[in-house]
Each structure stands twice: as structure tokens, then as C-alpha cells.
Amino acid sequence: MNRILPIVLIGSLAYALNNISIPQYQHFIITFAGGFISEVLAAITKCTLNCYSFYLAGSTAISLSEEQGIPPSKHYMIVATSIVTFFLATGFHLSHYFNLEAFSQVNSITAIISALCATYIYRFYDTKIEILKDKFEFPLNYSYNAPFFTIVPFGVTLLTESIILTFFFRFSELVEKADPLLTLFNTLFKNNRITLIGLETYTFIKNIFFFFGINGSNILNRVSLFYLYPAVKEYTPFKNAIPVEGDIYTPYYLIFQAQGGAGLTLALLISILLFSKRRSSKTIAKTASLPALFNINEIIIYGMPIMFNPVLIIPFIIVPMVCVAITYFAIQINLLPVPQMAISWTTPALISGYLMSHTITGTIIQLMCILIGILIYRPFIKIHDELLLDSEKEEIQTLTKLYKQSEYTTKEVFLTRLRGTSGIVARIIAHDFDNAIKNNAITIMYQPQFDNNLKIFGVEALLRWKHPAFGSLYPPLIIKLATETGHLLELEETIFMIVAKDMTKNPSLKYSINATPISLREPKFIQFLISTFSDFLENNFKIYIEITEQSELITDNTMLSHLRQLKEAGFKLAIDDFSMGHTSLSYIQQNHFDLIKLDGSMTKQVLTNIKTQEIIDSLVYLSKNSGFSILAEYVETKDQVDILQQMGCMMYQGSLCGMAVPFQFIDINE
């Protein structure tokens, strides 16, 4: 549905601009340049809203094809199949059935069903043909095979649907006579008698169609024409109304229960802006506000969405029904006068009430309906927020698991490109984190590093970020998202700037700060580091730049040159998470690194795994001859310290020594 939202919005705005109920404005657009403005707006409306079902059939087919995993090369043929099926279903080939209104929203259900049938039937035949193609060898070359195996399922699908639809049209008169909606409302509005039950039933059925993304007013068009309009016109309080061309009676009810669009969208928008804690929901509400002034609510229907939303559809139905009851009784007790003039459905709320009633009472009752609607929507907005938050937290767990798996297998994954909810959540987090970087809203925690006497000698700066809605997130995940959105360099510069400020508080500590190979390849980043920390280095601050081994460190001439510049400036270089992936012993042998940090997987196995002990023994031996030090991460027990100390590893980091804390809580006297 979202694919055609721009078309619907443009068409609705064009219609609204062409039907503003101000006589002077109407005179202008009709007379200016021979009615040129009015003709252009009408043309836009006809090419958009009047072809809604046509666009809906095609866009639904594309969405279904993507969900079914059908190759993109076949999407165009499925779209063509869906559109032809829609033509057949609307009686395009039968002159006594078809008219141009068939392309409008009246046939929304037909368009969706056409797309569903075309997609699944095409896929069924396409699968069968693929099996036959693999089973038998065809003499034709590829340039002939590809079109052949695409056209065949197209033709067979249309043949199948033509047979079904021909059968349908032969018995269409029986179907029409058995229309359940017409039968229902014939009873409710019997003898053109308006009743509250009849109005409420009509309102309920009309609005429940929006749950499926379908405009209920169009579905109930024949019901309105045959039963509702005549019944309202004969309603006793309206019999004394001044005769006006067109139906002014039914809109008199609609303007009180459809302000901002069906479901009293205006109340929903205000409720979101007042009570929702979700920035994304408020952004949608703000975007939808201008169209909603003209009773155009497609943005909120497909954006929140109302469609397929079991929570918001409840007040979406209840609010209009309450407002219908208020209007009904207001007319019964003569609080609302009879309608005085016809207006367009795009006339803004409060103004429409005054214009139709020619009294401020109409505006007051509209305002009352809006306020009641806001109160009804409020608890549902909160429930909607909570359910979305729970769902998104589950998706965050999925993203974290997916990224951890990627870390383990070293197979790259692009989280922001994922389809479905996971991809949406990844993009939301990435966007929010980008804003946090720009606003310096990230936090740096420091984990102590201890020697063999368990005395603190240094700290490692660790990134932390607490999302305003989702809470604390897995740091490597947000770094990955910053990388995908192109904000990694900005992030790492921000981290180094924060650490630089904290370093002035204690010059005796050794400071370790993480940097990715991606940033280290940038000349701009190297110059930033040197210029930012030059004063610290001149005053003998010990600053280690840790390069994680999870990222491939390509030691080409550019990288070697940058590492050399950092070393010459006075920085120390460290390999973080040693043993996890791309680093080889050749990196150590090149004598660029001053510190090797053993990965936690090695430290955790040091008490039980003989091979791990042998690897650490070898590294300690190599460190003595190559001039680098070794630090063990994830040290959690005294037993680990004892065995590491026996092997010659004298520096540790982990929960035994202390968790990551804000800088002011680092106690060098421990």
C-alpha cells in the first residue's frame, strides 16, 4: 500500500484544492485563464485517485512477489498478470459491465484479490514449468528460452482466470441479487426510515474496511446511494430543509465523525502528538497534519498504520460511532439546525460545521467530538506504543544475534539493508545514533587494567549508548550501524575527543582507545589524532590505539605509512581480541604493535584447554624477543590470574579487576 501513497496524496491534495468551499476561490480557479487551474487539478485527480485500483493491483503484486521470494526479473510479468486480471475482473472486456469508475477506489477489494490470485497462480505454474525445464533439455538458446519460460506461465495463468471469471460473469446477476450488504441495509433503512442502529451499523462497517487498507465509503457506495441517502433525506428534522442541489444530508453526519478523515483522524493525530512517546509516530502525525486539515488521512492509515493494526482499529471504529450518536441526538433535540448548504468533503473541520449549519453550534459540536475522540484514543495510543516497543526490542535481539553470528563467521552482513521489521528497526537505531553522535550524547566508560599485584595501571575507553526507548545496546552493533550509515569516522573522532578531556584528570594512567582499520586508513583521521593528542604525548602520556582483530587489518603501503606516523608521533599500538580472525603472526613480526590483548575466548579456556595454554606460552615467549607486551582480557577469577602469571602474562582486564565505570569512579589506589 505504501508504494502508492504518494499517488493518493497528490490526487487528494489536487481534489482538495479544486473543491475548497469558498465562493471567491471557486470563482477564481474557474475563470482564471479560462479555467486552466481547475482543469489541471481535475486532470491530476483523474490520473491518480480515479485510477487508484489500477495502481493498487500493480503495487500489491510487487509486494507479494517480494514476500514470496520471487526473482526480481519476474516481477514485471506478475505485475502485468495482475493488471490484466484486474481488467478481466472489472468486466473491461464486456461493454455492458465496464465503466471508468472501475479504476477508482470502488474496486479496491477487486484489485487486491486480482493481485493475490495472479501472483499465486503465476507462481504455481512457474514452479511447475521450472521443474519441467530442469527435467527436459530444450534446444533453444538462452535468448529464446528466457522469454519463452516467462510467457508460458503468464498465458496459462490468464487462461485459468479467464475461465473462472467468465463463469462468474454468467452468474453475476444472481450474485448481485444476493449482495449481503444491500440485504442488510434494506432491513435497517426499511421504508426510508432513519434509525440510530442503521447509522451506527453503516459507520461500523465503513470504518472496519480501513483495517484492510480499503476505503469503506467506496465499498458501501451502492448502500449509500440506494438506502442511506434517501433515508436521511426523509428524516423528519430535515424535511423542512431549504432545497439544495445534491445530497447535503448525509455529509451533515459525516462532518461530525470524519474530521481529518475517516475514524476522526484529527483526534488521532492530536492524541499521538500529546501522548505518544515515540518520535517516529509523532513525525508521522506531524507529516499527516496538513493533509488531515482537508480530511485526507492516507498518511496515517498507511503510516502508523491503521491498516492491519488490531489496537488502533478499535478506537478508529468506536470514535466515529460515538460522534454519530452525539450528532443524532443533537438533531433530535433541535440543537443542530437543518443543513443550509452543500460543501466539499475536503472542507476543514470546525469550518465545515459552521458552513453547513450556519451557526456556531455546528463548530462547538465538532470540537466536542474531537475532544471526546482524543480521550478515547489516548489509552490505545499508549498500548500501541508499548506493543511496538516490545516488538522492536525483540528485533534488536535478532539484530544483535545476527551481528554476533557475523562476527563469529567473519561473513559481513548489512543490517540496514535487511527487509522487513529487522531492517526498519536497524535504520531507526542508526538514525537515532547518528543524531546522538552529532549532539555528543554518547557515553564513554572506562574499564580498569591491573598488573600481577592487582594494582590499577591503566584503563580502556569503551563506548556506551543508551537509546531513549530501547535502553543500552550492544556496542559493536551500534558501531556496525555507524559504519553502514557512513558516520564511523565522526563517531571515532567524538570518542577520542571525550577521552582527551578525561585524560587531563589523571596523567599517570595508561589510556587505551579503540580505532577501526576503516578510520585508520583515512589521512584526515591520522592528522586528527596527532593534532588532538600532541600536547599529551609531549607530556609523556601513555596512549594506546587498539585495533580490533575482528576487522581485517590490510597492511598495505597506505596503512603501514599511517601506523608509522602514529608511532613517530608517540602513540602506542595494540591488537585487540587477538586470535579471533584476520591477524596473522606476520603482523606481530613487523614490530608495529606494542601490546597484544588476548581474546576472551582464550582467557576463558586457559584453565582447561592445554592447546590454549601452549598458544599463550608461545606468545609470551615471542613477546620477550619481539618487544611487545601481553594483556589478558575477560579475567574473572583468581585462578586465571595465577596460571597466567605462571606463564608470564602480568597484565589483566576483566570483571575480577573491575567493570567499566564512569571516569570519576576510577580509583587508582585500589
Side-chain angles (χ1 to χ4, degrees):
M1 302 290 182
N2 289 337
R3 296 179 188 276
I4 60 172
L5 183 57
I7 296 174
V8 174
L9 281 176
I10 291 171
S12 298
L13 288 173
Y15 182 88
L17 291 173
N18 207 20
N19 291 275
I20 295 176
S21 299
I22 299 176
Q24 294 84 351
Y25 175 83
Q26 286 295 320
H27 176 75
F28 170 74
I29 64 170
I30 292 173
T31 58
F32 180 78
F36 177 77
I37 296 176
S38 180
E39 289 177 9
V40 169
L41 294 173
I44 294 173
T45 303
K46 289 179 181 178
C47 294
T48 52
L49 294 184
N50 291 8
C51 296
Y52 174 84
S53 294
F54 175 82
Y55 299 127
L56 182 61
S59 66
T60 304
I62 294 176
S63 298
L64 289 170
S65 299
E66 291 176 346
E67 289 178 7
Q68 294 297 313
I70 298 172
S73 60
K74 295 182 179 180
H75 288 184
Y76 75 94
M77 190 55 71
I78 293 177
V79 171
T81 308
S82 299
I83 291 173
V84 174
T85 301
F86 174 68
F87 285 164
L88 291 171
T90 52
F92 184 80
H93 58 300
L94 302 172
S95 59
H96 59 285
Y97 274 97
F98 183 78
N99 61 69
L100 291 176
E101 289 185 5
F103 286 168
S104 68
Q105 295 186 17
V106 174
N107 278 316
S108 298
I109 292 181
T110 304
I112 293 172
I113 294 175
S114 297
L116 284 167
C117 293
T119 302
Y120 286 106
I121 294 175
Y122 183 96
R123 188 186 181 200
F124 172 79
Y125 286 125
D126 184 61
T127 303
K128 297 299 181 184
I129 290 172
E130 287 292 330
I131 293 173
L132 291 174
K133 185 175 70 172
D134 294 337
K135 188 175 182 180
F136 301 100
E137 294 184 2
F138 289 84
L140 300 176
N141 62 37
Y142 177 79
S143 61
Y144 290 98
N145 278 338
F148 175 78
F149 288 116
T150 302
I151 292 173
V152 169
F154 173 75
V156 179
T157 300
L158 291 185
L159 177 62
T160 302
E161 292 172 339
S162 295
I163 294 172
I164 295 171
L165 290 169
T166 299
F167 177 83
F168 169 80
F169 279 114
R170 287 202 173 189
F171 293 91
S172 60
E173 292 184 4
L174 294 176
V175 174
E176 188 170 331
K177 289 180 181 179
D179 189 324
L181 289 177
L182 288 178
T183 302
L184 171 64
F185 284 101
N186 181 39
T187 303
L188 291 172
F189 296 130
K190 191 173 182 180
N191 299 322
N192 287 341
R193 183 172 175 270
I194 195 72
T195 63
L196 181 59
I197 294 177
L199 288 171
E200 295 288 25
T201 304
Y202 175 87
T203 304
F204 173 81
I205 294 176
K206 181 189 73 171
N207 287 308
I208 203 170
F209 274 107
F210 283 94
F211 180 77
F212 304 99
I214 299 169
N215 191 318
S217 299
N218 295 318
I219 301 301
L220 297 181
N221 185 53
R222 289 202 302 163
V223 170
S224 301
L225 184 64
F226 295 153
Y227 298 111
L228 182 60
Y229 292 175
V232 173
K233 187 175 181 179
E234 293 299 317
Y235 185 37
T236 302
F238 288 170
K239 283 189 175 181
N240 297 324
I242 301 172
V244 179
E245 184 179 351
D247 175 42
I248 66 170
Y249 309 101
T250 306
Y252 205 43
Y253 278 97
L254 296 180
I255 63 170
F256 295 100
Q257 53 97 0
Q259 301 171 70
L264 217 157
T265 304
L266 204 55
L268 171 58
L269 293 180
I270 296 172
S271 187
I272 291 170
L273 293 173
L274 290 177
F275 308 119
S276 178
K277 296 181 179 179
R278 295 177 58 83
R279 187 173 66 252
S280 58
S281 296
K282 290 189 175 185
T283 299
I284 292 171
K286 290 175 183 177
T287 305
S289 296
L290 180 60
L293 292 177
F294 300 98
N295 305 317
I296 299 168
N297 66 350
E298 276 74 15
I299 290 179
I300 211 74
I301 294 293
Y302 302 123
M304 278 298 291
I306 300 299
M307 181 179 64
F308 300 127
N309 190 324
V311 175
L312 292 183
I313 192 62
I314 297 173
F316 192 85
I317 294 172
I318 292 175
V319 170
M321 293 179 70
V322 170
C323 294
V324 164
I326 292 173
T327 309
Y328 179 84
F329 289 115
I331 293 173
Q332 284 282 83
I333 63 175
N334 296 320
L335 184 62
L336 270 177
V338 296
Q340 302 296 312
M341 65 176 291
I343 62 171
S344 168
W345 63 267
T346 57
T347 305
L350 306 183
I351 297 175
S352 58
Y354 178 80
L355 290 177
M356 285 207 76
S357 65
H358 276 200
T359 172
I360 194 65
T361 304
T363 299
I364 293 173
I365 291 180
Q366 278 190 318
L367 184 60
M368 182 191 306
C369 289
I370 293 173
L371 294 174
I372 292 173
I374 292 171
L375 294 176
I376 295 174
Y377 270 115
R378 179 183 178 180
F380 292 95
I381 292 297
K382 292 187 175 182
I383 294 171
H384 178 256
D385 281 1
E386 291 171 1
L387 291 176
L388 277 181
L389 182 60
D390 291 342
S391 175
E392 288 168 342
K393 285 182 176 179
E394 290 179 4
E395 292 299 334
I396 290 172
Q397 292 178 358
T398 301
L399 289 170
T400 303
K401 183 178 179 181
L402 188 62
Y403 181 63
K404 285 182 177 180
Q405 185 179 16
S406 171
E407 286 182 306
Y408 179 77
T409 61
T410 68
K411 184 178 180 180
E412 190 170 14
V413 61
F414 293 95
L415 302 176
T416 54
R417 298 181 189 177
L418 293 174
R419 290 180 178 175
T421 309
S422 295
I424 293 172
V425 172
R427 290 187 287 274
I428 289 173
I429 296 173
H431 176 268
D432 293 343
F433 187 52
D434 292 345
N435 287 333
I437 296 171
K438 293 173 183 175
N439 297 322
N440 291 321
I442 60 175
T443 300
I444 300 299
M445 307 286 273
Y446 296 87
Q447 186 169 30
Q449 296 171 334
F450 287 74
D451 60 21
N452 58 313
N453 296 316
L454 298 186
K455 295 296 182 180
I456 183 173
F457 67 86
V459 292
E460 179 184 1
L462 298 171
L463 170 66
R464 296 292 184 266
W465 180 56
K466 188 174 182 179
H467 189 278
F470 307 139
S472 298
L473 300 177
Y474 180 53
L477 174 66
I478 56 180
I479 292 172
K480 167 65 175 172
L481 293 174
T483 304
E484 291 188 15
T485 56
H487 291 86
L488 179 62
L489 187 62
E490 184 181 356
L491 168 63
E492 297 197 330
E493 288 182 353
T494 302
I495 292 172
F496 275 88
M497 289 292 289
I498 294 173
V499 176
K501 291 179 181 178
D502 288 337
M503 285 172 59
T504 59
K505 302 171 185 175
N506 193 327
S508 64
L509 290 174
K510 175 183 77 67
Y511 293 89
S512 296
I513 316 166
N514 291 280
T516 61
I518 296 174
S519 295
L520 289 172
R521 294 187 64 83
E522 295 292 332
K524 175 185 174 183
F525 185 63
I526 302 300
Q527 294 303 315
F528 161 79
L529 291 176
I530 294 173
S531 62
T532 301
F533 292 91
S534 58
D535 290 341
F536 294 97
L537 295 169
E538 288 175 3
N539 288 286
N540 298 317
F541 276 74
K542 295 178 181 178
I543 306 171
Y544 283 74
I545 296 177
E546 293 189 13
I547 308 169
T548 177
E549 199 208 347
Q550 296 175 27
S551 301
E552 185 173 7
L553 179 59
I554 302 174
T555 50
D556 56 14
N557 291 334
T558 300
M559 181 61 78
L560 291 174
S561 173
H562 289 175
L563 295 179
R564 193 178 301 113
Q565 290 180 53
L566 292 174
K567 292 275 286 184
E568 291 172 354
F571 288 98
K572 303 291 185 180
L573 300 180
I575 296 179
D576 193 17
D577 298 323
F578 182 85
S579 86
M580 284 197 62
H582 302 286
T583 305
S584 67
L585 291 176
S586 63
Y587 291 172
I588 300 173
Q589 293 169 346
Q590 291 170 358
N591 292 323
H592 292 299
F593 297 97
D594 305 280
L595 177 68
I596 301 296
K597 298 184 72 174
L598 299 181
D599 177 58
S601 62
M602 297 179 69
T603 306
K604 290 175 182 178
Q605 298 177 36
V606 71
L607 295 172
T608 58
N609 192 307
I610 300 299
K611 287 191 177 297
T612 298
Q613 294 174 7
E614 292 174 350
I615 292 172
I616 296 175
D617 268 330
S618 300
L619 286 171
V620 170
Y621 175 78
L622 185 60
S623 70
K624 293 176 180 177
N625 297 311
S626 300
F628 62 85
S629 303
I630 294 179
L631 182 149
E633 292 189 289
Y634 288 88
V635 176
E636 299 170 346
T637 66
K638 186 65 169 61
D639 291 339
Q640 288 174 318
V641 172
D642 292 340
I643 193 169
L644 287 167
Q645 188 171 346
Q646 291 173 18
M647 294 177 188
C649 178
M650 301 298 182
M651 295 186 292
Y652 321 107
Q653 181 178 335
S655 59
L656 177 67
C657 309
M659 302 300 292
V661 294
F663 190 83
Q664 61 266 31
F665 294 111
I666 296 293
D667 186 0
I668 62 173
N669 297 316
E670 287 187 4

